[in-house]
Amino acid sequence: MTSSPVTGSARVDWAAVMARVPRERFIPDRIWRHDREREGNDLVPVDRDADPAGWAALVAADEPVKIQVDHGHPAADGTGWEVTSSASDPRVVAAMLAALDARPGERVLEIGTGTGWNAALLASVGVEVATIEVDPQLAAAARARLRWLAWVITGDGERGDSSGAPYDRLISTVGVATVPPAWIGQVRPGGRLVVPLTGDWQPPGIATLERTPTGATGHLGAPAAFMGLRGKTTPRPGGRDPRAGEPVESSTDIHPSRLTARDAATAIGQRVPGVCWAWSSPDGTHRGRLTLFAAGAWATVSTREGRPFPVQQAGARRLLDEVVAAYRWWLDHGSPRVSDWTIDIDLAGGQTITTTATPCHVG
């Protein structure tokens, strides 16, 4: 599992490191897959002993591997509803490690140990790693896998590790809506943080931040959807809120795909709080239904019959109207790409995300 540390200041070839330290060595014998045709709990266990080919196929895919459901308490039949821990797909891991740009001999704090693979990759190139995991079961399993390679702390990652600070760099494998002040304060000025940001409508992406004397500043990068800190995640929608009452019908000419495309969705997510969505299409095409969810409200847009698309909205908020207004704001401001957004954070945790795009006032 180990390899000789790299030397000098050359950037690490993370693809080569992953070939030496493969993800499969860190994946538990039981994982889960989605069964889209199953009612209720649609996360079905896949056991290495019972289905070695199925287990190997899931692990070999360049996708996240679901290693825990329902905080370690699946149903009696092993099924689950919510994914509560996963091993990230190798492309995202490589992108985040490249953004972190940790060098041999540096000290890195990782938030979210998971399987321990990320920490092992860093340790294998000579980085000193302390990693925090809130779930005792996951922490114990990772500690056994990592042994002497990394210091595994069982605790609340939101607090970081003040006893080991300051660190040269910090990387989080859990998403946060706002970067906790503790993380900023525990990285030395001139250091770097790589943190995936979460959002109800659209995760803004992976933030790469440089630690400044007054906080941190940086930009958004590659797309990624990570589970959030325990206690701060939005539960997976389980249906329309019955408190919303009877729906009001209308229509729209805007296809839902425009509202969920990443560049537009990033802007919508900044302007419309507390709304998430789900898309369903029986034939896997753009013909289907978008459902919007929020506390006490819901909305649907059906594209099965063509334009104008029928809309239903119920509750105190008109969710689609809010989302469409945010989409038009994005158009009016030059349709900024994700790379046009910058992030500034002060030491008290105040966070602003702004766009550098110039408004073009499209009608």
PDB file of all heavy atoms in Angstrom, residues 78-97:
ATOM      1  N   GLY A  78     -31.161  -5.152   4.830  1.00  0.00           N
ATOM      2  CA  GLY A  78     -29.918  -4.583   4.324  1.00  0.00           C
ATOM      3  C   GLY A  78     -30.089  -3.380   3.422  1.00  0.00           C
ATOM      4  O   GLY A  78     -29.099  -2.742   3.049  1.00  0.00           O
ATOM      5  N   THR A  79     -31.318  -3.047   3.053  1.00  0.00           N
ATOM      6  CA  THR A  79     -31.552  -1.922   2.150  1.00  0.00           C
ATOM      7  C   THR A  79     -31.518  -0.598   2.912  1.00  0.00           C
ATOM      8  O   THR A  79     -31.625  -0.563   4.145  1.00  0.00           O
ATOM      9  CB  THR A  79     -32.898  -2.058   1.429  1.00  0.00           C
ATOM     10  OG1 THR A  79     -33.957  -2.068   2.411  1.00  0.00           O
ATOM     11  CG2 THR A  79     -32.949  -3.347   0.612  1.00  0.00           C
ATOM     12  N   GLY A  80     -31.380   0.484   2.159  1.00  0.00           N
ATOM     13  CA  GLY A  80     -31.349   1.796   2.781  1.00  0.00           C
ATOM     14  C   GLY A  80     -32.013   2.844   1.915  1.00  0.00           C
ATOM     15  O   GLY A  80     -32.325   2.608   0.740  1.00  0.00           O
ATOM     16  N   TRP A  81     -32.209   4.028   2.503  1.00  0.00           N
ATOM     17  CA  TRP A  81     -32.845   5.141   1.797  1.00  0.00           C
ATOM     18  C   TRP A  81     -31.836   6.244   1.466  1.00  0.00           C
ATOM     19  O   TRP A  81     -31.838   6.784   0.377  1.00  0.00           O
ATOM     20  CB  TRP A  81     -33.978   5.714   2.654  1.00  0.00           C
ATOM     21  CG  TRP A  81     -34.571   6.977   2.103  1.00  0.00           C
ATOM     22  CD1 TRP A  81     -34.401   8.259   2.568  1.00  0.00           C
ATOM     23  CD2 TRP A  81     -35.400   7.102   0.947  1.00  0.00           C
ATOM     24  NE1 TRP A  81     -35.081   9.162   1.797  1.00  0.00           N
ATOM     25  CE2 TRP A  81     -35.718   8.477   0.780  1.00  0.00           C
ATOM     26  CE3 TRP A  81     -35.936   6.183   0.039  1.00  0.00           C
ATOM     27  CZ2 TRP A  81     -36.513   8.942  -0.253  1.00  0.00           C
ATOM     28  CZ3 TRP A  81     -36.735   6.667  -1.002  1.00  0.00           C
ATOM     29  CH2 TRP A  81     -37.019   8.019  -1.129  1.00  0.00           C
ATOM     30  N   GLU A  82     -30.972   6.576   2.415  1.00  0.00           N
ATOM     31  CA  GLU A  82     -30.048   7.699   2.254  1.00  0.00           C
ATOM     32  C   GLU A  82     -28.612   7.198   2.248  1.00  0.00           C
ATOM     33  O   GLU A  82     -28.219   6.406   3.106  1.00  0.00           O
ATOM     34  CB  GLU A  82     -30.232   8.675   3.414  1.00  0.00           C
ATOM     35  CG  GLU A  82     -29.593  10.014   3.189  1.00  0.00           C
ATOM     36  CD  GLU A  82     -30.577  11.051   2.672  1.00  0.00           C
ATOM     37  OE1 GLU A  82     -31.718  11.101   3.148  1.00  0.00           O
ATOM     38  OE2 GLU A  82     -30.178  11.812   1.782  1.00  0.00           O
ATOM     39  N   VAL A  83     -27.829   7.659   1.279  1.00  0.00           N
ATOM     40  CA  VAL A  83     -26.394   7.382   1.291  1.00  0.00           C
ATOM     41  C   VAL A  83     -25.745   8.329   2.295  1.00  0.00           C
ATOM     42  O   VAL A  83     -25.915   9.542   2.212  1.00  0.00           O
ATOM     43  CB  VAL A  83     -25.761   7.587  -0.101  1.00  0.00           C
ATOM     44  CG1 VAL A  83     -24.262   7.297  -0.051  1.00  0.00           C
ATOM     45  CG2 VAL A  83     -26.443   6.697  -1.127  1.00  0.00           C
ATOM     46  N   THR A  84     -24.990   7.780   3.262  1.00  0.00           N
ATOM     47  CA  THR A  84     -24.371   8.618   4.283  1.00  0.00           C
ATOM     48  C   THR A  84     -22.847   8.579   4.249  1.00  0.00           C
ATOM     49  O   THR A  84     -22.204   9.310   4.994  1.00  0.00           O
ATOM     50  CB  THR A  84     -24.880   8.237   5.684  1.00  0.00           C
ATOM     51  OG1 THR A  84     -24.794   6.816   5.869  1.00  0.00           O
ATOM     52  CG2 THR A  84     -26.324   8.668   5.862  1.00  0.00           C
ATOM     53  N   SER A  85     -22.269   7.760   3.386  1.00  0.00           N
ATOM     54  CA  SER A  85     -20.832   7.821   3.147  1.00  0.00           C
ATOM     55  C   SER A  85     -20.530   7.121   1.837  1.00  0.00           C
ATOM     56  O   SER A  85     -21.174   6.127   1.491  1.00  0.00           O
ATOM     57  CB  SER A  85     -20.037   7.162   4.280  1.00  0.00           C
ATOM     58  OG  SER A  85     -18.645   7.375   4.096  1.00  0.00           O
ATOM     59  N   SER A  86     -19.560   7.658   1.112  1.00  0.00           N
ATOM     60  CA  SER A  86     -19.179   7.048  -0.154  1.00  0.00           C
ATOM     61  C   SER A  86     -17.697   7.273  -0.403  1.00  0.00           C
ATOM     62  O   SER A  86     -17.075   8.173   0.186  1.00  0.00           O
ATOM     63  CB  SER A  86     -20.000   7.613  -1.319  1.00  0.00           C
ATOM     64  OG  SER A  86     -19.708   8.978  -1.516  1.00  0.00           O
ATOM     65  N   ALA A  87     -17.145   6.447  -1.271  1.00  0.00           N
ATOM     66  CA  ALA A  87     -15.776   6.633  -1.757  1.00  0.00           C
ATOM     67  C   ALA A  87     -15.870   7.388  -3.078  1.00  0.00           C
ATOM     68  O   ALA A  87     -16.492   6.913  -4.029  1.00  0.00           O
ATOM     69  CB  ALA A  87     -15.081   5.287  -1.937  1.00  0.00           C
ATOM     70  N   SER A  88     -15.269   8.548  -3.135  1.00  0.00           N
ATOM     71  CA  SER A  88     -15.395   9.406  -4.314  1.00  0.00           C
ATOM     72  C   SER A  88     -14.808   8.738  -5.549  1.00  0.00           C
ATOM     73  O   SER A  88     -13.931   7.875  -5.458  1.00  0.00           O
ATOM     74  CB  SER A  88     -14.684  10.734  -4.076  1.00  0.00           C
ATOM     75  OG  SER A  88     -15.249  11.421  -2.987  1.00  0.00           O
ATOM     76  N   ASP A  89     -15.308   9.185  -6.718  1.00  0.00           N
ATOM     77  CA  ASP A  89     -14.778   8.606  -7.949  1.00  0.00           C
ATOM     78  C   ASP A  89     -13.365   9.126  -8.187  1.00  0.00           C
ATOM     79  O   ASP A  89     -13.019  10.252  -7.800  1.00  0.00           O
ATOM     80  CB  ASP A  89     -15.697   8.870  -9.137  1.00  0.00           C
ATOM     81  CG  ASP A  89     -15.760  10.326  -9.529  1.00  0.00           C
ATOM     82  OD1 ASP A  89     -14.822  10.788 -10.181  1.00  0.00           O
ATOM     83  OD2 ASP A  89     -16.754  10.980  -9.180  1.00  0.00           O
ATOM     84  N   PRO A  90     -12.500   8.316  -8.802  1.00  0.00           N
ATOM     85  CA  PRO A  90     -11.088   8.673  -8.940  1.00  0.00           C
ATOM     86  C   PRO A  90     -10.832   9.997  -9.645  1.00  0.00           C
ATOM     87  O   PRO A  90      -9.891  10.715  -9.295  1.00  0.00           O
ATOM     88  CB  PRO A  90     -10.512   7.488  -9.734  1.00  0.00           C
ATOM     89  CG  PRO A  90     -11.382   6.334  -9.359  1.00  0.00           C
ATOM     90  CD  PRO A  90     -12.756   6.921  -9.217  1.00  0.00           C
ATOM     91  N   ARG A  91     -11.663  10.363 -10.628  1.00  0.00           N
ATOM     92  CA  ARG A  91     -11.436  11.632 -11.320  1.00  0.00           C
ATOM     93  C   ARG A  91     -11.559  12.809 -10.376  1.00  0.00           C
ATOM     94  O   ARG A  91     -10.766  13.762 -10.425  1.00  0.00           O
ATOM     95  CB  ARG A  91     -12.425  11.786 -12.472  1.00  0.00           C
ATOM     96  CG  ARG A  91     -12.131  10.955 -13.705  1.00  0.00           C
ATOM     97  CD  ARG A  91     -13.196  11.189 -14.737  1.00  0.00           C
ATOM     98  NE  ARG A  91     -14.524  10.887 -14.209  1.00  0.00           N
ATOM     99  CZ  ARG A  91     -15.666  11.405 -14.656  1.00  0.00           C
ATOM    100  NH1 ARG A  91     -15.652  12.295 -15.630  1.00  0.00           N
ATOM    101  NH2 ARG A  91     -16.817  11.056 -14.134  1.00  0.00           N
ATOM    102  N   VAL A  92     -12.578  12.779  -9.509  1.00  0.00           N
ATOM    103  CA  VAL A  92     -12.773  13.870  -8.559  1.00  0.00           C
ATOM    104  C   VAL A  92     -11.649  13.886  -7.533  1.00  0.00           C
ATOM    105  O   VAL A  92     -11.121  14.944  -7.171  1.00  0.00           O
ATOM    106  CB  VAL A  92     -14.149  13.753  -7.871  1.00  0.00           C
ATOM    107  CG1 VAL A  92     -14.280  14.745  -6.726  1.00  0.00           C
ATOM    108  CG2 VAL A  92     -15.268  13.970  -8.883  1.00  0.00           C
ATOM    109  N   VAL A  93     -11.258  12.703  -7.054  1.00  0.00           N
ATOM    110  CA  VAL A  93     -10.160  12.622  -6.093  1.00  0.00           C
ATOM    111  C   VAL A  93      -8.890  13.229  -6.689  1.00  0.00           C
ATOM    112  O   VAL A  93      -8.197  14.037  -6.059  1.00  0.00           O
ATOM    113  CB  VAL A  93      -9.923  11.162  -5.669  1.00  0.00           C
ATOM    114  CG1 VAL A  93      -8.638  11.037  -4.850  1.00  0.00           C
ATOM    115  CG2 VAL A  93     -11.104  10.639  -4.862  1.00  0.00           C
ATOM    116  N   ALA A  94      -8.579  12.845  -7.928  1.00  0.00           N
ATOM    117  CA  ALA A  94      -7.375  13.364  -8.585  1.00  0.00           C
ATOM    118  C   ALA A  94      -7.448  14.871  -8.764  1.00  0.00           C
ATOM    119  O   ALA A  94      -6.455  15.588  -8.555  1.00  0.00           O
ATOM    120  CB  ALA A  94      -7.174  12.672  -9.931  1.00  0.00           C
ATOM    121  N   ALA A  95      -8.626  15.391  -9.144  1.00  0.00           N
ATOM    122  CA  ALA A  95      -8.780  16.835  -9.341  1.00  0.00           C
ATOM    123  C   ALA A  95      -8.587  17.598  -8.037  1.00  0.00           C
ATOM    124  O   ALA A  95      -7.936  18.653  -8.007  1.00  0.00           O
ATOM    125  CB  ALA A  95     -10.158  17.134  -9.933  1.00  0.00           C
ATOM    126  N   MET A  96      -9.135  17.064  -6.947  1.00  0.00           N
ATOM    127  CA  MET A  96      -9.012  17.745  -5.663  1.00  0.00           C
ATOM    128  C   MET A  96      -7.582  17.687  -5.138  1.00  0.00           C
ATOM    129  O   MET A  96      -7.070  18.681  -4.597  1.00  0.00           O
ATOM    130  CB  MET A  96      -9.990  17.140  -4.661  1.00  0.00           C
ATOM    131  CG  MET A  96     -11.439  17.410  -4.990  1.00  0.00           C
ATOM    132  SD  MET A  96     -12.603  16.738  -3.788  1.00  0.00           S
ATOM    133  CE  MET A  96     -12.268  17.755  -2.341  1.00  0.00           C
ATOM    134  N   LEU A  97      -6.925  16.552  -5.293  1.00  0.00           N
ATOM    135  CA  LEU A  97      -5.537  16.450  -4.834  1.00  0.00           C
ATOM    136  C   LEU A  97      -4.620  17.334  -5.667  1.00  0.00           C
ATOM    137  O   LEU A  97      -3.681  17.941  -5.138  1.00  0.00           O
ATOM    138  CB  LEU A  97      -5.078  14.994  -4.881  1.00  0.00           C
ATOM    139  CG  LEU A  97      -5.749  14.063  -3.865  1.00  0.00           C
ATOM    140  CD1 LEU A  97      -5.291  12.627  -4.070  1.00  0.00           C
ATOM    141  CD2 LEU A  97      -5.458  14.514  -2.435  1.00  0.00           C
TER     142      LEU A  97
END
